[in-house]
Amino acid sequence: MVATAPVPGGARVDMSTRLGAFQMPDPVLTASGCAAAGRELAPFLDLNAIGAVVTKSIMLNPRSGRPTPRMAETPSGMLNSIGLQGPGIEEFIAKDLRWLRERGIRTVVSIAGGSVQEYQKLAQRLRHEPGIAALEVNISCPNVESRGQVFACDPLSAGSVVQVVRRHTSPDVPVLAKLSPDVTDIVAIAKSVLDAGADGLSLINTLLGMVIDPDTMRPMLGGMTGGLSGPAIRPVAVRAVWQVHAAYPRVPILGMGGIRTGQDAFEFLLAGASAVSVGTAVFNDPHAPARISAELHDILAARGFARLSDAIGLGHTMQARHVAAMDARRAAEQEALG
Ligand code: DHB
């Protein structure tokens, strides 16, 4: 399966993929919070060609967010503390969703709430809106007033949010639960949201971090703590995707966390992701999703894949083969020793 020759005749690799019922021609999506509702990226990127635009998490009511400064650079990454600033669901539907729908852009709507009831109202409000390919349920925003509101840190709370969203969303629209890496056992949280009806998982949200300014000798961010993103978190994300795919190989995973190149995206596919979101990279390269998709295509072609889907979770098969070969070699060596 993993040949080194290009696809015969230089044929294109079939890059199509799916997240449950949501089928897309390309596996690279934007990441929630890093492209607003797509308008700012449109001059740089053909939004109809990428997998989908994943919108900034929307809440029920307009919200001004956290105090400034809201961003800080970190080694190989950045911290953000936006605090879910946004226009609220009504304006989002009237302006952003309409803009996306009029252009036929595949759209994943990310929702966030402060209570189970708020998530329910959001799902009810979005239920009859056309043009939504999937819902991403952000239960893992790090920038909320209380850690008790990070539903993804507790299996019961995570499950109750997903259950109401699933119940109030059209059966044709997949519900993806976005999990936090800031937990002891991400597979346990995955189990809880899957039992509650999630059709897929978005892995991972940002890690909670902090930077202290040595000049002022106090936290750099107005909100003190923030979400860490960028290449610094990629190994954490790959590990989370690997662990969850090992436990639930048939569950679709949208992988994200520091993806900057096609090779990074390939790593997520091998770990078990069916598609990837690109977030922090678009801040210095708004063309990144298209570039990463092209790079991934060439990597798959050079390795002889006819279809992207053949690479999903392949790292697990390769590892199992490697372990079996090592075991066989050890057994043969033992036998030779008598
Ligand atoms: C926000 C920040 C995040 O890092 C995140 O993952 C979700 C939301 C925010 O502050 O709006």
Side-chain angles (χ1 to χ4, degrees):
M1 159 131 18
V2 187
T4 44
V7 179
R12 280 196 63 81
V13 179
D14 175 0
M15 297 292 278
S16 66
T17 189
R18 54 191 296 167
L19 292 164
F22 173 33
Q23 304 208 8
M24 59 207 107
D26 185 271
V28 184
L29 295 75
T30 63
S32 177
C34 300
R39 229 177 264 134
E40 292 86 343
L41 280 189
F44 308 98
L45 187 63
D46 179 359
L47 296 176
N48 294 96
I50 65 171
V53 167
V54 184
T55 60
K56 165 80 182 161
S57 298
I58 194 73
M59 298 190 81
L60 208 49
N61 298 312
R63 198 168 146 110
S64 53
R66 275 183 148 182
T68 56
R70 291 175 165 187
M71 280 195 182
E73 279 193 51
T74 63
S76 297
M78 59 171 262
L79 275 186
N80 85 81
S81 170
I82 311 301
L84 292 166
Q85 179 186 345
I89 191 69
E90 292 308 327
E91 190 176 321
F92 169 80
I93 289 172
K95 294 198 178 147
D96 297 326
L97 194 54
R98 182 169 168 204
W99 186 88
L100 289 158
R101 187 191 293 142
E102 282 172 356
R103 284 155 187 79
I105 296 166
R106 285 174 292 278
T107 301
V108 176
V109 174
S110 170
I111 55 171
S115 65
V116 175
Q117 228 179 4
E118 192 175 342
Y119 283 97
Q120 176 174 332
K121 287 184 183 157
L122 286 161
Q124 285 172 320
R125 184 62 189 86
L126 289 167
R127 180 165 188 139
H128 299 291
E129 287 300 321
I132 300 177
L135 281 189
E136 183 175 83
V137 191
N138 182 2
I139 49 173
S140 43
C141 174
N143 300 325
V144 291
E145 286 79 18
S146 134
R147 288 302 282 170
Q149 273 181 289
V150 184
F151 299 94
C153 291
D154 171 63
L156 282 180
S157 315
S160 24
V161 170
V162 170
Q163 190 174 40
V164 297
V165 173
R166 184 60 281 176
R167 192 184 302 146
H168 293 281
T169 301
S170 159
D172 315 333
V173 176
V175 169
L176 310 174
K178 187 161 182 179
L179 304 190
S180 169
D182 291 340
V183 293
T184 309
D185 183 0
I186 198 162
V187 175
I189 311 286
K191 177 181 188 325
S192 182
V193 296
L194 291 169
D195 287 348
D199 303 286
L201 303 168
S202 292
L203 301 173
I204 56 175
N205 210 321
T206 51
L207 282 75
L208 191 66
M210 181 188 260
V211 171
I212 295 178
D213 183 338
D215 291 328
T216 63
M217 298 184 287
R218 58 183 175 74
M220 192 89 94
L221 294 171
M224 296 208 291
T225 56
L228 180 65
S229 64
I233 74 166
R234 197 165 60 237
V236 177
V238 171
R239 179 270 299 172
V241 172
W242 180 281
Q243 288 179 326
V244 173
H245 183 80
Y248 300 105
R250 287 210 291 274
V251 169
I253 296 174
L254 175 58
M256 71 207 73
I259 296 175
R260 216 167 36 91
T261 65
Q263 189 171 304
D264 301 339
F266 186 47
E267 208 183 332
F268 277 77
L269 294 183
L270 295 172
S274 295
V276 296
S277 272
V278 172
T280 305
V282 302
F283 292 126
N284 75 343
D285 177 11
H287 181 65
R291 173 183 55 76
I292 290 168
S293 178
E295 291 170 0
L296 176 62
H297 173 275
D298 291 351
I299 289 168
L300 292 168
R303 288 195 162 266
F305 286 92
R307 286 175 298 273
L308 170 137
S309 57
D310 291 339
I312 299 170
L314 185 63
H316 295 256
T317 314
M318 299 305 283
Q319 177 65 8
R321 272 190 216 162
H322 171 73
V323 170
M326 297 306 278
D327 286 351
R329 201 169 85 183
R330 216 168 295 124
E333 279 168 5
Q334 287 289 340
E335 207 174 288
L337 286 172

